Amino acid sequence: MKRLFSTLVIASVMLFGAANVNATNFVSPQLDNIVNFVQDEEAALDVQEEEELGFHQELKKRFIEGGPGFMGIVLLCLILGLAIAIERIIFLNLSTTNTKKLAQDVEDALNSGGIEAAKEVCRNTKGPVASIYYQGLDRADESIEAAEKAVVAYGGVQMGQLEKNVSWVSLFIALAPMLGFMGTVIGMIQAFDRIEAAGDMQPSLVAGGIKVALLTTVFGLIVAIILQIFYNYIIAKIDSIVNDMEDASIILIDMLVDYKNKKRI
């Protein structure tokens, strides 16, 4: 489109100049100015397009230069780590419940309809806190101690479900930069092999190999940084849910004690 516009402008000026032969001395400088202006505009647009596409092109170029071996493994660590992290984030968000509202609903149902009504409220609520409440209420007819043991035991089970597969994310965080460093070391060894084969220390022999070797380290560190951000968010989310579970367990035991005392009266 830019080329077409430039051609039309130049052609129009040339036709105008041909029709006015007596004004040739005036038209020629104007024609040169217009051509220079159009060329400057084209150059500016080309630079702008290069700046817009430069980051993606540069990233692709550097990734290819790093070599398919180690760079492919580092990319696989990123893909698997992100897949596990996203799955954990979705699961944790679905496991989050309004603990205060749940405790109030269970208490109201317990006072109005007894243990079975409170268990029904827990069955209709998703999340680990509701599951812990259900297990405690299910043992409430035996004794408070039995209900407390059930809450503690099932709380450990729920905590294991929350932390499931999180260790794989930490593995990829450690593995990605280690693979990058390994690629760097191997690249340096290859660079020194070239020096030994040539029998001369020339920068051109080792510069390319060292650059490729360092690229693996850079991409390994980038992968580790990205996964570390997701990992810290997951750990913080798990800690928040676990704290809610512990607070809810204390509230449940207090509710059961009050319920038992009211029944005795």
Side-chain angles (χ1 to χ4, degrees):
M1 190 67 184
K2 295 183 301 181
R3 306 297 179 187
L4 179 61
F5 174 74
S6 304
T7 304
L8 291 175
V9 171
I10 295 172
S12 300
V13 173
M14 291 179 65
L15 289 175
F16 178 77
N20 296 275
V21 178
N22 295 330
T24 303
N25 295 330
F26 174 77
V27 171
S28 296
Q30 299 299 324
L31 177 61
D32 293 337
N33 292 334
I34 293 174
V35 171
N36 292 332
F37 173 78
V38 172
Q39 291 176 348
D40 292 339
E41 289 294 324
E42 292 177 356
L45 291 173
D46 291 337
V47 170
Q48 183 178 0
E49 290 179 356
E50 290 179 359
E51 290 178 353
E52 291 177 354
L53 303 176
F55 175 76
H56 301 88
Q57 292 176 349
E58 186 70 17
L59 184 64
K60 180 180 178 181
K61 175 184 175 183
R62 297 300 182 185
F63 184 85
I64 295 174
E65 288 178 350
F70 283 96
M71 296 297 282
I73 299 175
V74 172
L75 179 61
L76 183 62
C77 290
L78 176 62
I79 294 173
L80 294 177
L82 285 178
I84 295 173
I86 293 173
E87 185 272 332
R88 283 292 89 191
I89 290 173
I90 295 173
F91 177 81
L92 293 174
N93 286 330
L94 293 176
S95 300
T96 304
T97 56
N98 190 342
T99 307
K100 293 182 178 180
K101 183 178 183 302
L102 176 62
Q104 186 62 47
D105 292 341
V106 170
E107 185 176 8
D108 294 340
L110 192 64
N111 294 328
S112 61
I115 299 294
E116 292 300 324
K119 288 168 65 176
E120 185 64 26
V121 172
C122 296
R123 274 194 291 263
N124 296 329
T125 306
K126 296 181 180 180
V129 177
S131 299
I132 291 173
Y133 269 31
Y134 183 86
Q135 295 298 322
L137 291 169
D138 197 38
R139 300 293 189 278
D141 292 334
E142 299 175 10
S143 65
I144 299 297
E145 290 77 13
E148 187 174 359
K149 289 180 181 179
V151 167
V152 172
Y154 202 71
V157 174
Q158 290 297 316
M159 188 180 300
Q161 292 292 326
L162 296 175
E163 296 176 349
K164 183 180 179 181
N165 293 331
V166 176
S167 60
W168 286 103
V169 180
S170 62
L171 172 64
F172 293 133
I173 291 173
L175 193 60
M178 290 173 65
L179 289 171
F181 292 142
M182 184 181 294
T184 299
V185 172
I186 293 176
M188 297 292 288
I189 293 173
Q190 293 175 351
F192 283 108
D193 286 341
R194 294 191 188 98
I195 296 174
E196 183 181 7
D200 187 15
M201 181 63 181
Q202 296 180 1
S204 60
L205 292 175
V206 297
I210 293 175
K211 181 184 72 172
V212 171
L214 293 176
L215 284 173
T216 59
T217 300
V218 171
F219 277 90
L221 293 174
I222 291 174
V223 170
I225 291 171
I226 294 173
L227 293 181
Q228 186 67 53
I229 294 172
F230 283 92
Y231 179 79
N232 287 354
Y233 175 81
I234 291 171
I235 294 299
K237 194 71 174 177
I238 291 174
D239 291 341
S240 176
I241 295 175
V242 170
N243 289 332
D244 289 341
M245 289 164 55
E246 293 175 351
D247 293 340
S249 300
I250 297 172
I251 295 173
L252 176 63
I253 299 302
D254 292 339
M255 283 192 298
L256 291 177
V257 171
D258 293 338
Y259 176 74
K260 292 284 187 179
N261 292 333
K262 288 178 181 179
K263 284 185 67 176
R264 291 173 185 172
I265 296 175

